[in-house]
Amino acid sequence: MEDREKKSQLWKNLLYTFLGTTLSIVLTFGTSQWLALKKQKEERQLTALMVMGNVEKFASTLELISDELTWRDTLATMLLQIPVDSIDAPEYADMVQALPNVLACPVISYDQTVEQIFSNSIETWKNMGNFQFINIAGQCFSTMKFVTDEYMDFIKGGAGIIDMIQENPDAYPGGTIYSKVLRSKEFRDKMEELHKRTTYCLYMAEVIRYYNAINMQLMDVSEEEVRKFVSEHDEEVKINRPLPVQQDYIAPDLKADSLPDFPTWIKNHRV
């Protein structure tokens, strides 16, 4: 009887040990899995905010570009009102000298960092079934790239016309480089295009904001949260070091009569 009780107690102890070990494993695994899912969710939320914040920043940039183009559009309109046969007249000299400002427009630099981060986590998004967010985010990225490329082609096109005239000024009529440029039909076409671009930038800013609003709804994020995220991550980092100024690093040209004796110099500097 005593042996039977001992055996029964032994089996009970083994069962309790087994149950305890199993429960411990389940709890450990379950906790680890829960923490992993929680971390994954937080990372997805951060990536989503980065995507939507990036789109909002681009829309704000387009608004700033539109402001910059507006006053250039006014200048271009003034210059186009000068009669072609009077472009070199003294009374228009100051206006013509202002011509370089017309297409000295700010550039747009499309940073693909956020797009790459999003692309690297695309499988996670697919597994969660966020196909709408994936599609709309992709649409925003491709639109931003298209707008950037097309705008920069416009800027480079105008600069290219000026460079062409400067390289071969005798082939173009006019008393100065700027009056020659102002007579160029291609450049005048570019100037006339400025007005369309001021409104086009505003239109495209609202287009990508429209799609961004859909993504905000899909991710249950408010516009205020996105703007706050952008603001917090755009704060200037203050350091005890001034921004380098290129002018401080310009050295005087070497003068031929102050150069050292060649045989001595080359002997000391030969590799």
Side-chain angles (χ1 to χ4, degrees):
M1 185 67 123
E2 189 177 336
D3 288 343
R4 187 178 298 171
E5 287 179 0
K6 283 183 179 179
K7 285 181 181 178
S8 174
Q9 187 63 42
L10 177 63
W11 280 111
K12 282 181 182 177
N13 291 339
L14 286 173
L15 179 61
Y16 291 151
T17 302
F18 173 76
L19 289 174
T21 303
T22 302
L23 184 61
S24 175
I25 291 171
V26 169
L27 286 173
T28 302
F29 179 76
T31 303
S32 299
Q33 191 176 40
W34 178 78
L35 289 172
L37 288 172
K38 184 174 181 290
K39 184 181 177 184
Q40 197 177 62
K41 183 180 178 182
E42 288 171 353
E43 287 175 352
R44 259 197 330 274
Q45 187 77 357
L46 177 60
T47 304
L49 278 170
M50 288 174 69
V51 168
M52 293 181 286
N54 193 42
V55 173
E56 173 54 35
K57 278 176 67 176
F58 190 83
S60 297
T61 299
L62 288 181
E63 288 178 331
L64 293 174
I65 293 288
S66 180
D67 286 342
E68 289 292 323
L69 296 185
T70 298
W71 73 264
R72 288 175 171 84
D73 178 33
T74 302
L75 173 58
T77 304
M78 290 177 177
L79 289 169
L80 289 170
Q81 298 311 303
I82 301 174
V84 176
D85 58 1
S86 301
I87 288 176
D88 283 305
E91 62 264 34
Y92 296 117
D94 289 342
M95 286 177 64
V96 174
Q97 283 298 310
L99 182 136
N101 294 301
V102 173
L103 289 185
C105 304
V107 301
I108 302 178
S109 177
Y110 174 55
D111 185 357
Q112 291 182 294
T113 305
V114 173
E115 183 178 354
Q116 288 169 351
I117 292 171
F118 179 67
S119 297
N120 291 339
S121 62
I122 202 76
E123 289 306 318
T124 304
W125 290 96
K126 286 180 180 177
N127 292 339
M128 293 302 296
N130 295 98
F131 293 108
Q132 277 185 291
F133 183 85
I134 293 170
N135 291 336
I136 294 173
Q139 191 168 347
C140 287
F141 288 136
S142 61
T143 301
M144 289 155 63
K145 186 176 187 311
F146 170 79
V147 170
T148 300
D149 292 345
E150 206 249 351
Y151 172 79
M152 290 308 297
D153 285 344
F154 167 72
I155 301 300
K156 290 172 185 174
I161 294 168
I162 296 175
D163 290 343
M164 186 171 59
I165 293 173
Q166 285 179 325
E167 288 169 8
N168 192 18
D170 294 337
Y172 301 89
T176 67
I177 290 295
Y178 297 151
S179 68
K180 292 174 186 289
V181 171
L182 192 51
R183 282 179 166 85
S184 164
K185 183 184 182 306
E186 290 81 3
F187 194 83
R188 293 175 78 87
D189 289 343
K190 289 282 183 187
M191 292 166 74
E192 289 177 351
E193 196 179 328
L194 273 170
H195 186 72
K196 270 193 308 185
R197 291 196 169 271
T198 59
T199 53
Y200 179 71
C201 286
L202 293 178
Y203 166 68
M204 292 311 298
E206 288 309 304
V207 166
I208 61 174
R209 277 193 175 124
Y210 168 80
Y211 289 112
N212 214 24
I214 296 174
N215 271 344
M216 288 179 202
Q217 189 165 323
L218 288 171
M219 299 305 297
D220 194 24
V221 174
S222 70
E223 190 173 337
E224 251 182 69
E225 287 177 284
V226 172
R227 290 183 183 275
K228 184 182 176 185
F229 179 84
V230 172
S231 176
E232 287 174 351
H233 288 79
D234 273 356
E235 285 183 2
E236 184 181 353
V237 178
K238 298 187 183 303
I239 59 173
N240 295 321
R241 187 173 185 152
L243 178 70
V245 179
Q246 187 177 2
Q247 191 68 27
D248 296 341
Y249 293 86
I250 296 177
D253 293 338
L254 295 176
K255 297 187 180 301
D257 56 5
S258 66
L259 293 175
D261 172 64
F262 177 75
T264 306
W265 177 83
I266 197 67
K267 180 180 177 181
N268 292 332
H269 292 83
R270 195 185 297 277
V271 177

Coordinates of all heavy atoms in Angstrom, one line a residue, residues 122-164:
I122 N 7.6 45.9 -47.0 CA 6.4 45.6 -47.8 C 5.7 44.3 -47.5 O 4.5 44.2 -47.5 CB 6.7 45.8 -49.3 CG1 5.4 46.1 -50.1 CG2 7.3 44.6 -49.9 CD1 4.9 47.5 -49.9
E123 N 6.5 43.3 -47.2 CA 6.0 41.9 -46.9 C 5.1 42.0 -45.6 O 4.1 41.3 -45.5 CB 7.1 40.9 -46.8 CG 7.8 40.6 -48.1 CD 6.8 40.1 -49.2 OE1 5.8 39.4 -48.9 OE2 6.9 40.6 -50.4
T124 N 5.6 42.7 -44.7 CA 4.9 42.8 -43.4 C 3.5 43.5 -43.6 O 2.5 43.0 -43.1 CB 5.6 43.7 -42.4 OG1 6.9 43.1 -42.2 CG2 4.9 43.8 -41.1
W125 N 3.5 44.5 -44.5 CA 2.2 45.2 -44.8 C 1.3 44.2 -45.6 O 0.1 44.2 -45.3 CB 2.5 46.4 -45.7 CG 3.1 47.5 -44.9 CD1 4.5 47.8 -44.8 CD2 2.5 48.5 -44.0 NE1 4.7 48.8 -44.0 CE2 3.5 49.3 -43.5 CE3 1.2 48.7 -43.7 CZ2 3.2 50.3 -42.6 CZ3 0.9 49.7 -42.8 CH2 1.9 50.6 -42.3
K126 N 1.8 43.4 -46.5 CA 1.0 42.5 -47.2 C 0.4 41.4 -46.3 O -0.8 41.1 -46.4 CB 1.9 41.8 -48.3 CG 2.2 42.6 -49.5 CD 3.0 41.9 -50.5 CE 3.4 42.8 -51.7 NZ 4.3 42.0 -52.6
N127 N 1.2 40.9 -45.3 CA 0.7 39.9 -44.4 C -0.4 40.5 -43.5 O -1.3 39.7 -43.1 CB 1.9 39.4 -43.5 CG 2.9 38.7 -44.3 OD1 2.6 38.1 -45.4 ND2 4.1 38.6 -43.8
M128 N -0.4 41.7 -43.3 CA -1.5 42.3 -42.5 C -2.7 42.7 -43.3 O -3.7 43.2 -42.8 CB -1.0 43.6 -41.8 CG 0.1 43.3 -40.8 SD -0.5 42.2 -39.5 CE -1.8 43.2 -38.7
G129 N -2.6 42.5 -44.6 CA -3.7 42.8 -45.5 C -3.9 44.3 -45.8 O -5.0 44.7 -46.2
N130 N -2.9 45.1 -45.6 CA -3.0 46.5 -45.9 C -2.8 46.9 -47.3 O -1.9 47.7 -47.6 CB -2.1 47.3 -45.0 CG -2.4 47.2 -43.5 OD1 -1.8 46.4 -42.8 ND2 -3.3 48.0 -43.0
F131 N -3.5 46.2 -48.2 CA -3.2 46.4 -49.6 C -3.6 47.8 -50.1 O -2.9 48.4 -51.0 CB -4.0 45.3 -50.5 CG -3.4 44.0 -50.2 CD1 -4.2 43.0 -49.5 CD2 -2.2 43.6 -50.7 CE1 -3.7 41.7 -49.3 CE2 -1.7 42.3 -50.5 CZ -2.4 41.4 -49.8
Q132 N -4.7 48.4 -49.6 CA -5.1 49.7 -50.0 C -4.0 50.7 -49.6 O -3.6 51.6 -50.4 CB -6.4 50.1 -49.3 CG -7.6 49.6 -50.0 CD -8.9 50.1 -49.3 OE1 -9.2 49.8 -48.2 NE2 -9.6 51.0 -50.0
F133 N -3.5 50.6 -48.4 CA -2.4 51.5 -48.0 C -1.2 51.4 -48.9 O -0.6 52.4 -49.3 CB -2.0 51.2 -46.5 CG -1.0 52.2 -46.0 CD1 -1.4 53.4 -45.4 CD2 0.4 51.9 -46.0 CE1 -0.4 54.3 -45.0 CE2 1.3 52.8 -45.5 CZ 0.9 54.0 -45.0
I134 N -0.8 50.1 -49.2 CA 0.3 49.9 -50.0 C 0.2 50.5 -51.4 O 1.1 51.2 -51.9 CB 0.6 48.4 -50.2 CG1 1.0 47.7 -48.9 CG2 1.6 48.1 -51.3 CD1 1.0 46.2 -48.9
N135 N -1.0 50.3 -52.0 CA -1.3 50.9 -53.3 C -1.3 52.4 -53.3 O -0.7 53.0 -54.2 CB -2.6 50.4 -53.8 CG -2.6 48.9 -54.2 OD1 -1.5 48.3 -54.4 ND2 -3.8 48.2 -54.1
I136 N -1.9 53.0 -52.3 CA -2.0 54.5 -52.3 C -0.7 55.1 -52.0 O -0.3 56.1 -52.6 CB -3.1 54.9 -51.3 CG1 -4.5 54.5 -51.9 CG2 -3.1 56.4 -51.2 CD1 -5.6 54.7 -50.9
A137 N 0.1 54.5 -51.1 CA 1.4 55.0 -50.8 C 2.3 54.9 -52.0 O 3.0 55.9 -52.3 CB 2.0 54.2 -49.6
G138 N 2.2 53.8 -52.7 CA 3.0 53.7 -54.0 C 2.6 54.8 -55.0 O 3.4 55.3 -55.7
Q139 N 1.3 55.1 -55.1 CA 0.8 56.1 -56.0 C 1.3 57.5 -55.6 O 1.7 58.2 -56.5 CB -0.8 56.1 -56.0 CG -1.4 56.9 -57.1 CD -2.9 56.7 -57.2 OE1 -3.4 55.7 -56.6 NE2 -3.5 57.5 -58.0
C140 N 1.4 57.7 -54.3 CA 1.9 59.0 -53.9 C 3.4 59.1 -54.2 O 3.9 60.2 -54.7 CB 1.8 59.1 -52.3 SG 0.1 59.5 -51.8
F141 N 4.2 58.0 -54.0 CA 5.6 58.1 -54.3 C 5.8 58.3 -55.8 O 6.7 59.1 -56.2 CB 6.3 56.8 -53.8 CG 6.4 56.6 -52.3 CD1 6.1 55.4 -51.7 CD2 6.9 57.7 -51.6 CE1 6.2 55.3 -50.4 CE2 7.0 57.5 -50.2 CZ 6.7 56.3 -49.6
S142 N 5.1 57.6 -56.6 CA 5.3 57.7 -58.1 C 4.9 59.1 -58.6 O 5.6 59.7 -59.4 CB 4.5 56.6 -58.8 OG 3.2 56.8 -58.6
T143 N 3.9 59.7 -58.0 CA 3.4 61.0 -58.3 C 4.5 62.0 -57.9 O 4.8 63.0 -58.7 CB 2.1 61.4 -57.7 OG1 1.1 60.4 -58.1 CG2 1.6 62.8 -58.1
M144 N 5.0 61.9 -56.7 CA 6.1 62.8 -56.2 C 7.3 62.8 -57.1 O 7.9 63.8 -57.5 CB 6.4 62.5 -54.8 CG 5.3 62.8 -53.8 SD 5.3 61.9 -52.3 CE 6.9 62.3 -51.5
K145 N 7.7 61.6 -57.5 CA 8.8 61.4 -58.4 C 8.6 62.1 -59.8 O 9.4 62.8 -60.4 CB 9.2 60.0 -58.6 CG 10.5 59.8 -59.4 CD 10.9 58.3 -59.5 CE 12.3 58.2 -60.1 NZ 12.4 58.9 -61.4
F146 N 7.4 61.8 -60.3 CA 7.0 62.4 -61.6 C 7.0 63.9 -61.6 O 7.6 64.6 -62.5 CB 5.6 61.9 -62.0 CG 5.1 62.6 -63.3 CD1 5.5 62.3 -64.5 CD2 4.2 63.7 -63.1 CE1 5.0 63.0 -65.7 CE2 3.7 64.4 -64.2 CZ 4.1 64.0 -65.5
V147 N 6.4 64.5 -60.6 CA 6.4 66.0 -60.4 C 7.8 66.5 -60.3 O 8.1 67.6 -60.9 CB 5.5 66.4 -59.2 CG1 5.7 67.9 -58.9 CG2 4.1 66.0 -59.4
T148 N 8.6 65.9 -59.5 CA 10.0 66.3 -59.3 C 10.8 66.3 -60.6 O 11.4 67.3 -61.0 CB 10.8 65.4 -58.3 OG1 10.1 65.5 -57.1 CG2 12.2 65.9 -58.1
D149 N 10.7 65.2 -61.3 CA 11.5 65.0 -62.6 C 11.0 66.0 -63.7 O 11.8 66.7 -64.3 CB 11.3 63.6 -63.2 CG 12.0 62.6 -62.3 OD1 12.9 63.0 -61.5 OD2 11.7 61.4 -62.4
E150 N 9.7 66.2 -63.7 CA 9.1 67.1 -64.8 C 9.5 68.6 -64.5 O 9.8 69.3 -65.4 CB 7.6 66.9 -64.8 CG 7.0 67.2 -66.1 CD 6.1 68.5 -66.0 OE1 5.9 68.9 -64.9 OE2 5.7 69.0 -67.0
Y151 N 9.4 68.9 -63.2 CA 9.7 70.3 -62.8 C 11.2 70.6 -63.0 O 11.6 71.6 -63.6 CB 9.4 70.5 -61.3 CG 9.9 71.8 -60.8 CD1 9.2 73.0 -61.0 CD2 11.0 71.9 -60.0 CE1 9.6 74.2 -60.5 CE2 11.5 73.1 -59.5 CZ 10.8 74.3 -59.7 OH 11.2 75.4 -59.2
M152 N 12.1 69.6 -62.7 CA 13.5 69.8 -62.9 C 13.9 69.9 -64.3 O 14.8 70.6 -64.7 CB 14.3 68.8 -62.1 CG 14.2 68.9 -60.6 SD 14.7 70.5 -60.0 CE 16.4 70.6 -60.5
D153 N 13.2 69.1 -65.2 CA 13.4 69.2 -66.6 C 13.1 70.6 -67.1 O 13.8 71.1 -68.0 CB 12.5 68.2 -67.4 CG 13.1 66.8 -67.2 OD1 14.2 66.6 -66.8 OD2 12.3 65.8 -67.5
F154 N 12.1 71.2 -66.6 CA 11.7 72.6 -67.0 C 12.8 73.6 -66.6 O 13.2 74.4 -67.4 CB 10.4 73.0 -66.3 CG 10.0 74.4 -66.3 CD1 9.6 75.0 -67.5 CD2 10.2 75.2 -65.2 CE1 9.3 76.4 -67.6 CE2 9.9 76.6 -65.2 CZ 9.4 77.2 -66.4
I155 N 13.3 73.5 -65.4 CA 14.4 74.4 -64.9 C 15.6 74.2 -65.7 O 16.3 75.1 -66.2 CB 14.7 74.1 -63.4 CG1 13.5 74.3 -62.6 CG2 15.8 75.0 -63.0 CD1 12.9 75.7 -62.6
K156 N 16.0 72.9 -66.0 CA 17.2 72.6 -66.7 C 17.1 73.1 -68.2 O 18.1 73.5 -68.8 CB 17.5 71.1 -66.7 CG 18.0 70.6 -65.3 CD 18.1 69.1 -65.3 CE 18.4 68.6 -63.9 NZ 18.4 67.1 -63.8
G157 N 15.9 73.0 -68.7 CA 15.6 73.4 -70.1 C 15.9 74.9 -70.3 O 16.6 75.3 -71.2
G158 N 15.5 75.7 -69.3 CA 15.7 77.1 -69.4 C 17.2 77.5 -69.2 O 17.7 78.3 -70.0
A159 N 17.8 76.8 -68.3 CA 19.3 77.0 -68.1 C 20.1 76.6 -69.3 O 21.1 77.2 -69.7 CB 19.7 76.2 -66.9
G160 N 19.6 75.5 -70.0 CA 20.3 75.0 -71.2 C 20.2 76.1 -72.3 O 21.2 76.2 -73.1
I161 N 19.1 76.8 -72.4 CA 19.0 77.8 -73.5 C 20.0 78.9 -73.2 O 20.7 79.4 -74.2 CB 17.5 78.4 -73.5 CG1 16.6 77.3 -74.0 CG2 17.5 79.5 -74.5 CD1 15.1 77.6 -73.8
I162 N 20.1 79.3 -72.0 CA 21.0 80.4 -71.6 C 22.5 80.0 -71.9 O 23.3 80.7 -72.5 CB 20.9 80.8 -70.1 CG1 19.5 81.4 -69.9 CG2 21.9 81.8 -69.7 CD1 19.2 81.7 -68.4
D163 N 22.8 78.7 -71.5 CA 24.2 78.2 -71.7 C 24.5 78.2 -73.2 O 25.6 78.5 -73.6 CB 24.3 76.8 -71.1 CG 24.3 76.8 -69.6 OD1 24.5 77.9 -69.0 OD2 24.0 75.7 -69.0
M164 N 23.5 77.7 -74.0 CA 23.7 77.6 -75.5 C 24.0 79.0 -76.1 O 24.9 79.1 -76.9 CB 22.5 77.0 -76.1 CG 22.6 76.8 -77.6 SD 21.1 75.8 -78.2 CE 19.8 77.0 -77.8

